[in-house]
Amino acid sequence: MATLVPLGTAATFGVLANTAVTNTGPTVVTGDLGVSPAGAVTGFPPGTVTGTIHLNDAAAAQAQADLLTGYANALVQPVTATVPTELGGTTLTPGVYNSASGTFGLNGTLILDAQGNPNAVFIFKTATTLITGAAGNVSLINQAKSANVFWQVGSSATLGAGSTLRGSILAFTSITATTGAIVDGRLLALGAAVTLDSNAVTVPPLSTCSVVVQPVAGPVVVGQPTPVSAVVTCNGLPVSGASVTFNGGAVPVTATTNAAGIATGSLTFNTAGAATVTATVTAAGTGCACTGVVSAALPITVTPQTGPLSASPACWRVNLPFPIPSLFVATLTATLTPAQAGVTVTFYVSGLPVGTAVTNAAGVATLNAGLSILQISASTYTAVATVGGVTVQATNTLRPCFPPA
């Protein structure tokens, strides 16, 4: 399956060259235009650029570096099918395509059918050239987008006069757009010049990625694993298969988004107090090149750990109807943190065992204990359990109930 080619900062450039950008006539570039590492830009005016012209500056250099990364990505994507050299008169569905001859020609209409998937990607790979004729045209149907069409050209591309190309050309050497050629995409040349002549080059709308950390359910306690999740979307649609790294805990945790764009992991916090959780896309999934997108920080409060076993305050009352089997009774409660079911807890009053109870799924053990008249004089009770081979205990108050019934 074809995946989106990452262009990084080169995505804002309608035209990018290595040695020179040369223009004749009223070309309009909707986007940025740049040259790097050393060259010139001529023909503007009469040509116009809606973005910024970057002449051998840091932005153009970074765009060239990102273009090289994108070119390499397209180059190694597995081929879905080998198709004839001439693309005109054909309809293709999403995939990665090459030709047996190592070159592509376009002298009619090529229809790209996304089959209702707005994230569908089309990649065309040539070992040598891409040449379009005057009647060459790329038509997009069923939610296909020019932003998701890529032409990886092994040497140079030439666009015929009046032809219309959709998608981004990533040429290893040079690109020539002859008189009146229209490009709904980008002209990006790694090794040499881009030559223009009364063209319209329009950068497709940039993909908008979003990563949102979901609210954390329940208390966050020092030393206890806390489930965290984040949703990754591109242009409002879920991104599946993306790697998301959660930060803020003692150790970062990475998880992969599911079909709903949700990644779920677990963080542990070692210090009580205020903390934050962020999520960063560390590897792109389907739909968008979202790598590097960071969520807003989610503030949380980490509470101190109260211990593995805690006892709740208890009170005793007269056992009515009495006095069978005990004259007095009290409800004694102990809780394991983190919750663990099936642990036996023994309860003591005045140093003597009064019974046992087993923790439920919430880690709570409850005992209705019968007490003697001597035991009700005690002001506390104690719960004892063995967890992981270690004996733990907790003590709390034992008082008369009010009202006493």
Side-chain angles (χ1 to χ4, degrees), residues 340 385-392:
Q340 183 178 341
T386 300
V387 182
V390 178
T391 300
V392 293

Side-chain angles (χ1 to χ4, degrees), residues 223-237:
Q224 296 182 20
T226 299
V228 290
S229 64
V231 179
V232 182
T233 59
C234 173
N235 296 331
L237 298 175

Side-chain angles (χ1 to χ4, degrees), residues 38 87 121 131 159 165 181 183 192 209 218 223 245 252 258 275 315 351 365 375 394:
L87 293 171
V121 176
I131 301 173
L159 306 182
L165 186 103
V183 179
C209 289
T245 298
N258 59 18
C315 65
Q375 288 171 320

Side-chain angles (χ1 to χ4, degrees), residues 191-269:
V194 174
T195 302
L196 305 170
D197 183 354
S198 304
N199 308 118
V201 181
T202 304
V203 174
L206 300 180
S207 298
T208 302
C209 289
S210 173
V211 184
V212 179
V213 180
Q214 301 301 289
V216 174
V220 180
V221 180
V222 168
Q224 296 182 20
T226 299
V228 290
S229 64
V231 179
V232 182
T233 59
C234 173
N235 296 331
L237 298 175
V239 177
S240 64
S243 294
V244 176
T245 298
F246 295 94
N247 290 283
V251 178
V253 173
T254 300
T256 302
T257 56
N258 59 18
I262 300 173
T264 302
S266 180
L267 290 176
T268 300
F269 300 85

